[in-house]
Amino acid sequence: MVKKPPFVAGNWKMHLTMGEAKGLATAIVKVSADLAGAEIVLAPPFTALGEVKKVLEGSPVRLAAQNLFWEEKGAFTGEVSAPMLRDSGCQYVIIGHSERRQYFGETDDGVNRKIKAALKSGVFPIFCVGETLSERESGQTMDVISRQLQGGLDSIGAGVLKSIVIAYEPVWAIGTGKTATPDQAEEVHSRIREKLALKYGNGTAECAIILYGGSVKPTNSFALLSEKNIDGFLVGGASLEAESFVQIVREAIRAYKEKK
Ligand code: PGA
């Protein structure tokens, strides 16, 4: 297995005004020199991208958006395109988050178009997959994940996969306080890597960054990241406070150092 530095992204969802976002980003940047060895990404709401970009300038912390539309420009009221994100300083964009699938009707095909649009503009997708509780309870977890992976990565070649971060986020663990156990998460992560190996070959699959998301906290991040196939986190609630987010990054670095 190729060991990768931990990748920790904070998904701020629909939280924080510009001023609040600036304050949170500033607090994280202040300690970021201490957190060398991790790739840290912040995903504020669109309205705060500009403010947060200014704060991140000259720091190792990267900027992400939470969504995009696949067209480059045109009469699509309310939408934001990949070139616009690039122009706003985003290096990453979250695509296919379960909240977007659930509340805004995103389909695997739409996710695939968004991934391609992001890549075309040089913005790296953080591509989310995950099963609901009823899907897990009826034994369909891997069917769902396979379908989402297949659909999202349709006609995307091996050369491009290295620009895509995958996030496994069981829907039942998001914002619920119920974290998947390290074993549960590792089982799905290893299966995801197997699927990638089948499609892209072992070398490419081993290099893929696969994040876990769903109630990640300072207290569970060490055990999760100690798992072989867990390369980092997509953090929601706990990323809204500098202290807990930074602590998660520290725990991830500690686990990484001890990882074989
Ligand atoms: P949570 O959210 O950490 O609040 O569970 C994770 C996510 O939705 O990305």
Side-chain angles (χ1 to χ4, degrees):
M1 180 63 58
V2 180
K3 222 177 136 186
K4 293 139 242 155
F7 186 112
V8 185
N11 174 11
W12 295 355
K13 308 194 179 181
M14 198 172 73
H15 292 286
L16 309 185
T17 60
M18 286 195 281
E20 289 164 345
K22 187 177 170 184
L24 178 54
T26 305
I28 292 166
V29 164
K30 249 190 205 153
V31 293
S32 62
D34 259 26
L35 305 174
E39 174 82 341
I40 304 173
V41 177
L42 303 180
F46 287 130
T47 46
L49 285 174
E51 279 301 317
V52 174
K53 174 181 184 267
K54 283 188 239 160
V55 176
L56 302 190
E57 256 154 23
S59 88
V61 182
R62 305 287 173 227
L63 188 65
Q66 299 173 17
N67 184 30
L68 84 171
F69 186 52
W70 55 75
E71 294 290 346
E72 289 191 0
K73 60 181 169 184
F76 302 103
T77 303
E79 295 296 326
V80 173
S81 71
M84 289 170 181
L85 294 186
R86 182 80 207 165
D87 183 50
S88 306
C90 294
Q91 289 198 347
Y92 293 92
V93 57
I94 299 171
I95 297 179
H97 191 280
S98 64
E99 286 152 14
R100 298 226 43 97
R101 295 177 189 261
Q102 192 180 342
Y103 305 131
F104 303 98
E106 288 204 357
T107 62
D108 293 326
D109 175 58
V111 167
N112 180 248
R113 289 177 186 222
K114 290 183 176 194
I115 290 176
K116 288 177 181 158
L119 291 168
K120 189 171 167 210
S121 289
V123 182
F124 301 141
I126 300 175
F127 164 38
C128 306
V129 297
E131 82 288 2
T132 62
L133 185 59
S134 64
E135 288 163 345
R136 171 163 282 260
E137 286 176 346
S138 57
Q140 295 176 67
T141 299
M142 276 325 292
D143 295 341
V144 172
I145 305 287
S146 301
R147 193 202 67 222
Q148 291 173 338
L149 283 174
Q150 223 164 42
L153 298 175
D154 186 42
S155 64
I156 285 174
V160 186
L161 190 78
K162 62 179 182 305
S163 305
I164 303 177
V165 174
I166 294 174
Y168 167 57
E169 298 206 305
V171 179
W172 47 273
I174 295 179
T176 57
K178 276 190 215 160
T179 323
T181 63
D183 281 356
Q184 279 173 324
E186 170 62 17
E187 189 190 350
V188 178
H189 278 237
S190 70
R191 301 285 298 276
I192 291 176
R193 215 178 286 284
E194 273 169 35
K195 301 265 168 215
L196 296 177
L198 276 177
K199 184 167 161 129
Y200 297 110
N202 279 335
T204 304
E206 286 208 358
C207 291
I209 296 174
I210 310 178
L211 312 180
Y212 168 78
S215 299
V216 174
K217 309 182 262 278
T219 47
N220 57 26
S221 42
F222 180 86
L224 284 161
L225 204 118
S226 300
E227 294 292 342
K228 185 168 149 208
N229 286 287
I230 300 183
D231 304 312
F233 302 120
L234 182 54
V235 188
S239 72
L240 290 171
E241 284 190 2
E243 203 181 316
S244 48
F245 184 67
V246 166
Q247 196 52 34
I248 288 170
V249 179
R250 287 194 206 285
E251 290 295 297
I253 294 172
R254 192 164 71 85
Y256 170 72
K257 284 187 179 150
E258 291 183 17
K259 223 169 178 171
K260 288 184 202 86

